């Protein structure tokens, strides 16, 4: 992995638009014409490269973005979708059927948790939720019906780190597919290079970076992506979570600045985490030596992109958390909003927002407290100024 730099892979991609433009031309069509009936038949059968059938299946604009994201993650190919959940749900349904079993991290995005806990049992698919940081617990949960290990590189919202290389060994030993959601750590971590079979992103977040587009991607082998898009049996093709070509082109343009943005997000988050921990706040950030997986994460990341832009603090109660977030928003320090990867800092109380699908007793069991605030740290130019303003808010509310 030391020789693999995802930003270089993006940089090395070069496209020419239909009329010689430096941006690839946007294909604004839902359907495509054929010069012969046989070519149409061959395309339906999946035997014709370079021909387009119908934009729910693929489009030139989406394939450009597919290629770029596959290069970034080091996989053979990829398939973009209309949302992060539009990538996660078809991927898991393609891998599993009635009677199958999934072993998943217990700390994952609330929507994914709800899908696995409440929705997939309708199809006879069961999930065991485990502490993904304990490899012996993960392996003990595997049954003869298990098909998938599922985790997030850095979990939402507790920022637990998955040992992807260790999980990959377990997956290979038991003939399972390791599926990793890498939304929190693009460029910083390359899960496929650590042994993951499938890498998923919500493009909505860091990769697009401007909070104006919803999108997702599944990065994997050609064999799996072709199965996912098969016109007769592909979950992505048949469920139809297709990304619009105009949105795809927009994400493609923003992808080119991802390496610059990630470095600044990481720098700012690391600075704030250091300061808040010194101030005595309960602070969680993978770049802190106090993080339980700090040493492991150091071995996983591409160092120049840092430890990411996500951090949490615990201010004790939901009332204090809400007061602080409202005051910081009033002082123009960011937005009380879900999601991440925006140029401004975003903050939310996960227990009542992005993880609200998880029952309260399970939130308590996993350590998701009422006073926890999740921060997506922005691209602030003067992070010392930001820190001083945030600290002033905390002092005013008797948090510090």
């Amino acid at each position: 992995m030391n020789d693999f730099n995802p930003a270089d892979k993006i940089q090395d991609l070069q496209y020419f638009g239909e009329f010689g433009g430096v941006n690839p031309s946007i294909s604004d069509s839902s359907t495509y014409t054929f010069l012969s009936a046989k070519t149409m038949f061959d395309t339906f059968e999946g035997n014709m490269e370079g021909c387009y059938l119908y934009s729910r299946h693929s489009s030139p604009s989406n394939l450009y973005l597919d290629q770029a994201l596959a290069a970034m993650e080091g996989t053979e190919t990829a398939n973009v979708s209309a949302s992060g959940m539009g990538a996660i749900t078809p991927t898991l349904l393609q891998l599993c059927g009635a009677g199958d079993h999934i072993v998943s991290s217990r700390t994952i995005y609330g929507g994914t948790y709800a899908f696995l806990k409440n929705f997939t049992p309708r199809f006879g698919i069961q999930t065991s939720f485990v502490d993904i940081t304990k490899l012996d617990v993960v392996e003990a949960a595997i049954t003869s019906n298990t098909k998938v290990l599922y985790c997030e590189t850095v979990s939402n919202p507790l920022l637990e780190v998955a040992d992807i290389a260790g999980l990959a060994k377990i997956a290979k030993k038991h003939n399972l597919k390791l599926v990793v959601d890498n939304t929190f750590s693009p460029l910083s971590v390359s899960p496929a290079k650590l042994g993951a079979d499938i890498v998923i992103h919500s493009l909505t977040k860091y990769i697009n970076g401007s909070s104006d587009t919803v999108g997702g991607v599944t990065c994997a082998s050609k064999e799996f992506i072709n199965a996912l898009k098969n016109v007769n049996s592909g979950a992505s093709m048949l469920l139809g979570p297709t990304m619009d070509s105009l949105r795809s082109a927009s994400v493609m343009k923003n992808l080119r600045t991802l390496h610059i943005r990630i470095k600044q997000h990481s720098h700012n988050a690391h600075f704030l985490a250091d300061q808040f921990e010194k101030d005595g706040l309960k602070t969680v950030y993978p770049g802190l030596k106090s993080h339980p997986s700090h040493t492991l994460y150091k071995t996983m990341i591409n160092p120049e992109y840092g430890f990411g832009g996500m951090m949490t603090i615990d201010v004790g109660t939901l009332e204090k958390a809400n007061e602080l977030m409202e005051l910081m928003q009033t002082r123009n320090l960011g937005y009380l909003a879900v999601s991440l990867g925006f140029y401004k800092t975003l903050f939310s109380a996960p227990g009542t927002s992005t993880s609200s699908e998880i029952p309260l007793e399970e939130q308590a069991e996993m350590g998701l407290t009422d006073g926890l605030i999740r921060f997506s740290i922005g691209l602030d130019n003067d992070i010392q100024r930001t820190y001083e303003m945030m600290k002033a808010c905390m002092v005013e509310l008797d948090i510090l």
Side-chain angles (χ1 to χ4, degrees), residues 356-373:
S356 59
E357 297 94 335
I358 301 173
L360 292 177
E361 63 274 12
E362 293 184 35
Q363 290 187 27
E365 185 180 330
M366 66 177 61
L368 179 49
T369 56
D370 285 344
L372 191 78
I373 301 175

Side-chain angles (χ1 to χ4, degrees), residues 267-284:
H267 168 76
N268 286 351
H270 207 152
F271 180 89
L272 290 177
D274 277 334
Q275 297 301 319
F276 290 146
E277 186 172 62
K278 288 174 185 175
D279 289 333
L281 287 171
K282 184 178 178 182
T283 307
V284 176

Side-chain angles (χ1 to χ4, degrees), residues 130-349:
V130 301
D131 183 345
I132 206 71
T133 65
K134 298 177 179 177
L135 296 182
D136 57 335
V137 173
V138 173
E139 189 158 21
I142 295 170
T143 73
S144 59
N145 295 326
T146 306
K147 293 292 188 293
V148 170
L149 293 184
Y150 183 88
C151 68
E152 298 170 348
T153 306
V154 180
S155 73
N156 184 0
L158 297 182
L159 308 185
E160 293 177 344
V161 174
D163 180 354
I164 295 173
L167 292 168
K169 289 178 182 175
I170 293 172
K172 188 173 182 179
K173 175 181 174 182
H174 295 275
N175 196 29
L176 312 177
K177 294 296 184 185
L178 175 59
V179 181
V180 178
D181 182 337
N182 200 35
T183 298
F184 274 28
S185 43
L187 302 189
S188 291
V189 180
S190 301
K193 296 299 179 181
L194 296 171
D197 297 288
I198 298 168
V199 182
I200 288 171
H201 284 273
S202 169
L203 303 178
T204 313
K205 314 304 192 301
Y206 285 113
I207 289 175
N208 185 58
S210 52
S211 291
D212 62 356
T213 293
V214 177
V217 68
T218 301
C219 304
S221 66
K222 287 182 180 178
E223 180 183 13
F224 181 73
I225 296 300
N226 286 342
L228 200 62
K229 295 167 66 174
N230 185 282
V231 295
N232 296 309
S233 59
S236 189
M237 178 64 175
L238 297 175
L239 294 173
T242 309
M243 176 171 267
D244 176 75
S245 291
L246 295 172
R247 287 302 188 188
S248 187
S250 175
V251 175
M252 183 77 171
K253 291 170 187 173
N254 288 344
L255 179 65
R256 298 164 185 164
T257 63
L258 179 61
H259 61 296
I260 300 169
R261 293 185 281 111
I262 287 292
K263 290 176 185 179
Q264 190 68 18
H265 285 302
S266 291
H267 168 76
N268 286 351
H270 207 152
F271 180 89
L272 290 177
D274 277 334
Q275 297 301 319
F276 290 146
E277 186 172 62
K278 288 174 185 175
D279 289 333
L281 287 171
K282 184 178 178 182
T283 307
V284 176
Y285 180 69
L288 296 175
K289 291 181 180 178
S290 58
H291 191 286
S293 298
H294 173 72
T295 302
L296 168 66
Y297 202 50
K298 278 183 72 174
T299 69
M300 291 169 55
I301 63 171
N302 296 305
E304 69 175 289
Y305 305 111
F307 291 88
M310 303 301 295
M311 58 171 283
T312 69
I313 62 171
D314 195 326
V315 297
T317 67
L318 181 60
E319 182 182 16
K320 281 292 183 188
N322 289 340
E323 286 179 347
L324 178 59
M325 292 187 292
E326 289 169 5
L327 183 58
M328 288 192 296
Q329 180 167 255
T330 301
R331 301 278 168 84
N332 298 328
L333 285 163
Y335 295 107
L336 175 50
V338 299
S339 200
L340 48 130
F342 193 43
Y343 87 100
K344 289 280 283 186
T345 294
L346 305 177
F347 30 81
S348 61

Side-chain angles (χ1 to χ4, degrees), residues 366-385:
M366 66 177 61
L368 179 49
T369 56
D370 285 344
L372 191 78
I373 301 175
R374 189 192 77 175
F375 287 82
S376 166
I377 303 301
L379 300 174
D380 307 35
N381 179 58
D382 186 348
I383 196 62
Q384 176 70 39
R385 171 178 176 268

